[in-house]
Amino acid sequence: MKDLGRYWGYLAFIILVTAWWTRSVGPVALLVLSILVTGFFLFQAPVWCCAVNRDGTLCRNNSTGLLLGCSKRQHKWQKLRMTIVPNAWRQMNRGLWASPREGLTTLGAIVGMLSAVAATAISVAGQFAGKA
């Protein structure tokens, strides 16, 4: 049961993909699921830290989410800086695909964000179609 609490976002990701595939839910439910999935992968999914160490290697400490670093304060600031500073995006991208687990987490976050945009567009288009 402890692992279900830690990995609930993967189940939500499967439900989100299934909901898009079957078109069984409305755009509001898709938007809520998309936000939950994106939030899980960005802030809670168990991944490696992947901040750049002084010797140029990637940190292998456990971390939560793609945007948060490990327990080292400097790594938390480095991960935050890598998301904001355009020159550091190459280093951040190197850590996003460091292992299959990080790759799946990165892919899940991207799918969640794209799904949120698409669900919002469907909802807005439905509102305009209803007024016409």
Side-chain angles (χ1 to χ4, degrees), residues 89-105:
W89 288 348
R90 181 175 296 161
Q91 288 177 341
M92 185 175 142
N93 189 28
R94 192 174 116 197
L96 292 177
W97 308 100
S99 74
R101 181 174 56 176
E102 278 73 24
L104 179 64
T105 304

Side-chain angles (χ1 to χ4, degrees), residues 78-94:
Q78 183 182 11
K79 294 279 285 202
L80 179 63
R81 188 181 68 225
M82 285 193 304
T83 59
I84 296 171
V85 177
N87 294 338
W89 288 348
R90 181 175 296 161
Q91 288 177 341
M92 185 175 142
N93 189 28
R94 192 174 116 197

